[in-house]
Amino acid sequence: MSFFDAQVDLFDAGSQNRTASSPVDNTPDAGSVEYRRRRLGEIVGELEVADTMPWKPSLVTVWTRSFPELVKMLPDEEAAEWQAKFNAEIKRLTNQQ
């Protein structure tokens, strides 16, 4: 067996046990949800304490696009609260410029 064949087997082994009809569990685990809550708190917290926008315009664009993806894993009401906080802070800080 060549080195390449061994690598393919290493990474392909799991897919041999799954059929096309096998269900995939997309339920987020509690650790992942808690991590996202902490991360959302860090992001919004950084904006809340700022007097001026702490990010370059490119980073504002990145977070404006990425933030909705981060909140998707949370319950709808909580996700909406985080999104509203984020949007309010972005608006506050970008209107000052």
Side-chain angles (χ1 to χ4, degrees), residues 40-41 43-45 47-48 67 78-92:
L40 293 167
I43 295 164
V44 171
L47 296 175
E48 287 174 336
F67 202 86
E78 183 181 0
E81 289 174 17
W82 279 113
Q83 190 67 57
K85 287 179 186 180
F86 176 80
N87 292 345
E89 291 302 321
I90 291 293
K91 184 177 180 179
R92 176 181 70 85

Side-chain angles (χ1 to χ4, degrees), residues 1-13 16:
M1 178 183 300
S2 72
F3 174 77
F4 177 75
D5 292 335
Q7 291 297 307
V8 171
D9 288 345
L10 174 69
F11 293 109
D12 196 36
Q16 294 172 357

Side-chain angles (χ1 to χ4, degrees), residues 1-41:
M1 178 183 300
S2 72
F3 174 77
F4 177 75
D5 292 335
Q7 291 297 307
V8 171
D9 288 345
L10 174 69
F11 293 109
D12 196 36
S15 66
Q16 294 172 357
N17 297 328
R18 181 179 291 159
T19 65
S21 62
S22 296
V24 176
D25 182 12
N26 289 327
T27 307
D29 63 78
S32 182
V33 171
E34 288 307 313
Y35 168 78
R36 286 181 184 233
R37 284 185 179 121
R38 279 193 312 275
R39 189 68 184 117
L40 293 167

